[in-house]
Amino acid sequence: MSPETSGTSASAGLSVRGLAVTYGNLRAVDGVDLEVSAGEVVALLGASGSGKSSLLRAVAGLEDVAGGEVAWGGRDMVRVPVHKRGFGLMFQDGQLFEHRDVGGNIAYGLTGLPRARRDERVREMLRLVGLPGFERRRVTTLSGGQAQRVALARALAPAPRVLLLDEPLSALDRALREQLATDVRAILRRGGTTALYVTHDQDEAMTVADRVGVMEAGRLLRIDTPERLWADPGSRKVARFLGLDVIGDLALAPGALRVVGAPGGPQEQGGVKGEKCHSRRLLSASGDEEPHDSNAAIRKAGAGAGVKVSRCDTSEDSEPGQEGASRAATDALESGEAREVGVTSRSAGEYSQSPTDTKASAAAELPVLQNPMLHGTVRASRLRRGQWEAEVELDPAQLAGLAELTERAELAERAGAAPVAGDDSEGEPARATALAQRPYACGERVDLRLDPTRTARL
């Protein structure tokens, strides 16, 4: 039977309810609820000791269940022996049989089929994993990547109800792991395979899975699609595990901060040397224009925190900037959306148009972040994949203003957002990684530009 015709109905799926696994006084899995639909690939992320592998082994029947249930298609599987569950297993080292050739390994779980059908199935699986013609190869002659492909083919050959993969690529080097993660994703999707995939590598999980769950201390903290998980980690623990920098109530994705140079003047004047900050204008819900001084907003929101929210030009004459602002204002008016438009202080009162159909919203009068500037102290520089990065320490006073302004920006997009609690480490310097064009010396002060589109509220 091929993966394409595995006999899995659309209503079938894996259901885990209140699952608990204990080792003495240690609760390795603590009341986890998880649903995996037929044909869906779900990855569980977590550090060593988080309980992800214990959960997977309990689903397979290799660990005793202290509480809860494991079901497939509505049928309780807790008391069903491992070999009768119809679940496939693939482990980190592949566990290939050295006394069998590649074909013999793949055929291991096909003992109930006639020989001709078994041989056909082996060839089918080898084509699926990209190793056609490898039937007679000895497993000791295979590369690491080839061996894992054979292990995957062996696990898929019996057309399991669900495939359980426990760190299947962790023993491989990074380049090969990244390639195989893409291949595994394609293989599982092509066969419509239902899979539960355990890994500690977030990139691998995001590549392979339809949904990703993050575990810690035996509990499932959050599960969602990769896109939504990145956009909204939901908690500091999840954000940090995903590799996001956590600053106050903000999670910063890679590339959210960029070093734009060393300070060129007094900090309160802001910006990079030669830049001129301008006031801006709001298009209110009623269509009236309200001049808005970004520095005043900063003082009000951040109590002089030094967060720069402005559009800057490098010359006194800013006609191009005015034209851009005019076009942006016109677009806002024509689309019926009330939003903030950056203008120069010289162009105050220039706009005479009024919208014919603006959307009424209190949030339209709130300032929107446009490339806020921060100041930081470099603690380390490193070159990663050809890109310089600077580990910077940020002043906690700036963070308070930044969090407040970011919350205002979110309110501008969705009125009524509730404020969130402050960080437990309030008042202490926070560290984050910023992209840079060159290395910076430890202790050097730098200006940083923040991309609000790469941040999330926690």
PDB file of all heavy atoms in Angstrom, residues 7 55 179 185 269 275 417 430:
ATOM      1  N   GLY A   7      -5.211   4.612   3.337  1.00  0.00           N
ATOM      2  CA  GLY A   7      -6.431   4.213   4.003  1.00  0.00           C
ATOM      3  C   GLY A   7      -6.823   5.143   5.143  1.00  0.00           C
ATOM      4  O   GLY A   7      -7.661   4.826   5.963  1.00  0.00           O
ATOM      5  N   LEU A  55       6.765  12.686  25.196  1.00  0.00           N
ATOM      6  CA  LEU A  55       5.412  12.717  24.647  1.00  0.00           C
ATOM      7  C   LEU A  55       5.321  11.831  23.409  1.00  0.00           C
ATOM      8  O   LEU A  55       4.389  11.034  23.270  1.00  0.00           O
ATOM      9  CB  LEU A  55       5.018  14.154  24.319  1.00  0.00           C
ATOM     10  CG  LEU A  55       3.570  14.409  23.887  1.00  0.00           C
ATOM     11  CD1 LEU A  55       3.154  15.835  24.266  1.00  0.00           C
ATOM     12  CD2 LEU A  55       3.357  14.211  22.395  1.00  0.00           C
ATOM     13  N   GLN A 179      18.897  20.997   3.855  1.00  0.00           N
ATOM     14  CA  GLN A 179      18.446  20.409   2.600  1.00  0.00           C
ATOM     15  C   GLN A 179      17.454  19.277   2.836  1.00  0.00           C
ATOM     16  O   GLN A 179      16.407  19.194   2.195  1.00  0.00           O
ATOM     17  CB  GLN A 179      19.640  19.890   1.797  1.00  0.00           C
ATOM     18  CG  GLN A 179      19.259  19.223   0.472  1.00  0.00           C
ATOM     19  CD  GLN A 179      18.476  20.149  -0.439  1.00  0.00           C
ATOM     20  OE1 GLN A 179      18.931  21.245  -0.739  1.00  0.00           O
ATOM     21  NE2 GLN A 179      17.296  19.718  -0.883  1.00  0.00           N
ATOM     22  N   ARG A 185       9.890  17.505   4.071  1.00  0.00           N
ATOM     23  CA  ARG A 185       8.617  18.208   3.925  1.00  0.00           C
ATOM     24  C   ARG A 185       7.919  17.794   2.623  1.00  0.00           C
ATOM     25  O   ARG A 185       6.726  17.461   2.614  1.00  0.00           O
ATOM     26  CB  ARG A 185       8.862  19.715   3.938  1.00  0.00           C
ATOM     27  CG  ARG A 185       7.694  20.582   3.462  1.00  0.00           C
ATOM     28  CD  ARG A 185       6.576  20.594   4.443  1.00  0.00           C
ATOM     29  NE  ARG A 185       5.505  21.502   4.040  1.00  0.00           N
ATOM     30  CZ  ARG A 185       4.376  21.648   4.692  1.00  0.00           C
ATOM     31  NH1 ARG A 185       4.150  20.946   5.780  1.00  0.00           N
ATOM     32  NH2 ARG A 185       3.455  22.472   4.268  1.00  0.00           N
ATOM     33  N   GLN A 269      19.084  65.366  20.578  1.00  0.00           N
ATOM     34  CA  GLN A 269      18.825  65.840  19.216  1.00  0.00           C
ATOM     35  C   GLN A 269      18.518  64.700  18.283  1.00  0.00           C
ATOM     36  O   GLN A 269      17.935  64.900  17.229  1.00  0.00           O
ATOM     37  CB  GLN A 269      20.040  66.622  18.690  1.00  0.00           C
ATOM     38  CG  GLN A 269      20.368  67.866  19.493  1.00  0.00           C
ATOM     39  CD  GLN A 269      19.191  68.804  19.554  1.00  0.00           C
ATOM     40  OE1 GLN A 269      18.517  69.010  18.546  1.00  0.00           O
ATOM     41  NE2 GLN A 269      18.928  69.365  20.726  1.00  0.00           N
ATOM     42  N   GLU A 275      21.125  64.436   9.820  1.00  0.00           N
ATOM     43  CA  GLU A 275      19.701  64.224   9.576  1.00  0.00           C
ATOM     44  C   GLU A 275      18.889  65.319  10.267  1.00  0.00           C
ATOM     45  O   GLU A 275      19.267  65.841  11.317  1.00  0.00           O
ATOM     46  CB  GLU A 275      19.260  62.862  10.098  1.00  0.00           C
ATOM     47  CG  GLU A 275      19.787  61.715   9.249  1.00  0.00           C
ATOM     48  CD  GLU A 275      19.196  60.391   9.671  1.00  0.00           C
ATOM     49  OE1 GLU A 275      18.565  60.342  10.730  1.00  0.00           O
ATOM     50  OE2 GLU A 275      19.357  59.419   8.930  1.00  0.00           O
ATOM     51  N   ALA A 417      -6.945  47.724  22.006  1.00  0.00           N
ATOM     52  CA  ALA A 417      -5.997  46.733  22.498  1.00  0.00           C
ATOM     53  C   ALA A 417      -5.686  47.004  23.959  1.00  0.00           C
ATOM     54  O   ALA A 417      -5.438  48.131  24.354  1.00  0.00           O
ATOM     55  CB  ALA A 417      -4.708  46.792  21.676  1.00  0.00           C
ATOM     56  N   ALA A 430      18.700  45.858  28.731  1.00  0.00           N
ATOM     57  CA  ALA A 430      18.319  44.710  27.914  1.00  0.00           C
ATOM     58  C   ALA A 430      19.280  44.592  26.744  1.00  0.00           C
ATOM     59  O   ALA A 430      19.790  45.592  26.246  1.00  0.00           O
ATOM     60  CB  ALA A 430      16.887  44.878  27.408  1.00  0.00           C
TER      61      ALA A 430
END
